[in-house]
PDB file of all heavy atoms in Angstrom:
ATOM      1  N   PHE B 311      74.402 167.319  76.031  1.00  0.00           N
ATOM      2  CA  PHE B 311      73.770 168.321  76.897  1.00  0.00           C
ATOM      3  C   PHE B 311      73.138 167.696  78.134  1.00  0.00           C
ATOM      4  O   PHE B 311      72.741 168.394  79.042  1.00  0.00           O
ATOM      5  CB  PHE B 311      72.715 169.116  76.106  1.00  0.00           C
ATOM      6  CG  PHE B 311      73.317 169.797  74.924  1.00  0.00           C
ATOM      7  CD1 PHE B 311      73.150 169.289  73.643  1.00  0.00           C
ATOM      8  CD2 PHE B 311      74.096 170.931  75.112  1.00  0.00           C
ATOM      9  CE1 PHE B 311      73.731 169.901  72.560  1.00  0.00           C
ATOM     10  CE2 PHE B 311      74.685 171.541  74.004  1.00  0.00           C
ATOM     11  CZ  PHE B 311      74.500 171.044  72.736  1.00  0.00           C
ATOM     12  N   ALA B 312      73.017 166.380  78.074  1.00  0.00           N
ATOM     13  CA  ALA B 312      72.386 165.727  79.215  1.00  0.00           C
ATOM     14  C   ALA B 312      73.432 165.490  80.301  1.00  0.00           C
ATOM     15  O   ALA B 312      74.149 164.519  80.298  1.00  0.00           O
ATOM     16  CB  ALA B 312      71.780 164.398  78.768  1.00  0.00           C
ATOM     17  N   ARG B 313      73.534 166.417  81.183  1.00  0.00           N
ATOM     18  CA  ARG B 313      74.505 166.341  82.260  1.00  0.00           C
ATOM     19  C   ARG B 313      73.886 166.886  83.518  1.00  0.00           C
ATOM     20  O   ARG B 313      73.064 167.783  83.455  1.00  0.00           O
ATOM     21  CB  ARG B 313      75.746 167.210  81.942  1.00  0.00           C
ATOM     22  CG  ARG B 313      76.621 166.674  80.856  1.00  0.00           C
ATOM     23  CD  ARG B 313      77.702 165.763  81.438  1.00  0.00           C
ATOM     24  NE  ARG B 313      78.217 164.887  80.406  1.00  0.00           N
ATOM     25  CZ  ARG B 313      79.125 165.254  79.501  1.00  0.00           C
ATOM     26  NH1 ARG B 313      79.609 166.468  79.533  1.00  0.00           N
ATOM     27  NH2 ARG B 313      79.542 164.409  78.600  1.00  0.00           N
ATOM     28  N   GLU B 314      74.309 166.420  84.587  1.00  0.00           N
ATOM     29  CA  GLU B 314      74.005 167.025  85.887  1.00  0.00           C
ATOM     30  C   GLU B 314      72.546 167.444  86.013  1.00  0.00           C
ATOM     31  O   GLU B 314      72.217 168.609  86.049  1.00  0.00           O
ATOM     32  CB  GLU B 314      74.893 168.258  86.127  1.00  0.00           C
ATOM     33  CG  GLU B 314      76.380 168.015  85.921  1.00  0.00           C
ATOM     34  CD  GLU B 314      76.974 167.120  86.986  1.00  0.00           C
ATOM     35  OE1 GLU B 314      76.642 167.322  88.178  1.00  0.00           O
ATOM     36  OE2 GLU B 314      77.753 166.225  86.629  1.00  0.00           O
ATOM     37  N   GLY B 315      71.670 166.510  86.002  1.00  0.00           N
ATOM     38  CA  GLY B 315      70.279 166.830  86.279  1.00  0.00           C
ATOM     39  C   GLY B 315      69.468 167.116  85.033  1.00  0.00           C
ATOM     40  O   GLY B 315      68.239 167.022  85.051  1.00  0.00           O
ATOM     41  N   ILE B 316      70.151 167.473  83.931  1.00  0.00           N
ATOM     42  CA  ILE B 316      69.391 167.631  82.694  1.00  0.00           C
ATOM     43  C   ILE B 316      69.336 166.263  82.057  1.00  0.00           C
ATOM     44  O   ILE B 316      70.366 165.661  81.756  1.00  0.00           O
ATOM     45  CB  ILE B 316      70.086 168.623  81.734  1.00  0.00           C
ATOM     46  CG1 ILE B 316      70.330 169.932  82.477  1.00  0.00           C
ATOM     47  CG2 ILE B 316      69.250 168.818  80.479  1.00  0.00           C
ATOM     48  CD1 ILE B 316      71.298 170.831  81.766  1.00  0.00           C
ATOM     49  N   VAL B 317      68.149 165.777  81.862  1.00  0.00           N
ATOM     50  CA  VAL B 317      68.022 164.397  81.426  1.00  0.00           C
ATOM     51  C   VAL B 317      67.397 164.338  80.050  1.00  0.00           C
ATOM     52  O   VAL B 317      66.475 165.084  79.738  1.00  0.00           O
ATOM     53  CB  VAL B 317      67.167 163.591  82.429  1.00  0.00           C
ATOM     54  CG1 VAL B 317      67.246 162.121  82.105  1.00  0.00           C
ATOM     55  CG2 VAL B 317      67.646 163.854  83.847  1.00  0.00           C
ATOM     56  N   ASP B 318      67.969 163.431  79.254  1.00  0.00           N
ATOM     57  CA  ASP B 318      67.400 163.206  77.932  1.00  0.00           C
ATOM     58  C   ASP B 318      66.826 161.801  77.920  1.00  0.00           C
ATOM     59  O   ASP B 318      67.551 160.832  78.076  1.00  0.00           O
ATOM     60  CB  ASP B 318      68.506 163.364  76.892  1.00  0.00           C
ATOM     61  CG  ASP B 318      68.024 162.942  75.517  1.00  0.00           C
ATOM     62  OD1 ASP B 318      66.789 162.895  75.324  1.00  0.00           O
ATOM     63  OD2 ASP B 318      68.872 162.653  74.655  1.00  0.00           O
ATOM     64  N   TYR B 319      65.508 161.721  77.741  1.00  0.00           N
ATOM     65  CA  TYR B 319      64.884 160.402  77.781  1.00  0.00           C
ATOM     66  C   TYR B 319      64.678 159.815  76.391  1.00  0.00           C
ATOM     67  O   TYR B 319      63.986 158.839  76.238  1.00  0.00           O
ATOM     68  CB  TYR B 319      63.547 160.478  78.529  1.00  0.00           C
ATOM     69  CG  TYR B 319      63.714 160.835  79.983  1.00  0.00           C
ATOM     70  CD1 TYR B 319      63.364 162.087  80.459  1.00  0.00           C
ATOM     71  CD2 TYR B 319      64.243 159.901  80.864  1.00  0.00           C
ATOM     72  CE1 TYR B 319      63.531 162.412  81.794  1.00  0.00           C
ATOM     73  CE2 TYR B 319      64.417 160.225  82.207  1.00  0.00           C
ATOM     74  CZ  TYR B 319      64.062 161.483  82.656  1.00  0.00           C
ATOM     75  OH  TYR B 319      64.231 161.799  83.965  1.00  0.00           O
ATOM     76  N   SER B 320      65.301 160.446  75.383  1.00  0.00           N
ATOM     77  CA  SER B 320      65.029 159.947  74.041  1.00  0.00           C
ATOM     78  C   SER B 320      66.130 159.028  73.513  1.00  0.00           C
ATOM     79  O   SER B 320      65.892 158.257  72.603  1.00  0.00           O
ATOM     80  CB  SER B 320      64.850 161.129  73.076  1.00  0.00           C
ATOM     81  OG  SER B 320      66.069 161.853  73.003  1.00  0.00           O
ATOM     82  N   GLY B 321      67.306 159.113  74.056  1.00  0.00           N
ATOM     83  CA  GLY B 321      68.404 158.280  73.561  1.00  0.00           C
ATOM     84  C   GLY B 321      68.254 156.830  73.976  1.00  0.00           C
ATOM     85  O   GLY B 321      67.414 156.498  74.818  1.00  0.00           O
ATOM     86  N   PRO B 322      69.078 155.960  73.379  1.00  0.00           N
ATOM     87  CA  PRO B 322      68.987 154.536  73.744  1.00  0.00           C
ATOM     88  C   PRO B 322      69.470 154.233  75.163  1.00  0.00           C
ATOM     89  O   PRO B 322      69.155 153.180  75.697  1.00  0.00           O
ATOM     90  CB  PRO B 322      69.869 153.841  72.709  1.00  0.00           C
ATOM     91  CG  PRO B 322      70.753 154.909  72.149  1.00  0.00           C
ATOM     92  CD  PRO B 322      70.044 156.204  72.295  1.00  0.00           C
ATOM     93  N   VAL B 323      70.242 155.147  75.736  1.00  0.00           N
ATOM     94  CA  VAL B 323      70.743 154.888  77.091  1.00  0.00           C
ATOM     95  C   VAL B 323      69.895 155.624  78.102  1.00  0.00           C
ATOM     96  O   VAL B 323      69.685 156.827  78.016  1.00  0.00           O
ATOM     97  CB  VAL B 323      72.211 155.337  77.220  1.00  0.00           C
ATOM     98  CG1 VAL B 323      72.681 155.198  78.665  1.00  0.00           C
ATOM     99  CG2 VAL B 323      73.094 154.519  76.291  1.00  0.00           C
ATOM    100  N   LEU B 324      69.396 154.885  79.066  1.00  0.00           N
ATOM    101  CA  LEU B 324      68.557 155.469  80.105  1.00  0.00           C
ATOM    102  C   LEU B 324      69.266 155.274  81.436  1.00  0.00           C
ATOM    103  O   LEU B 324      69.508 154.142  81.853  1.00  0.00           O
ATOM    104  CB  LEU B 324      67.216 154.731  80.121  1.00  0.00           C
ATOM    105  CG  LEU B 324      66.080 155.360  80.895  1.00  0.00           C
ATOM    106  CD1 LEU B 324      65.651 156.666  80.249  1.00  0.00           C
ATOM    107  CD2 LEU B 324      64.905 154.389  80.923  1.00  0.00           C
TER     108      LEU B 324
END
Side-chain angles (χ1 to χ4, degrees):
Chain B
F311 302 103
R313 289 269 159 80
E314 309 291 317
I316 306 165
V317 190
D318 172 19
Y319 295 107
S320 64
V323 174
L324 194 66

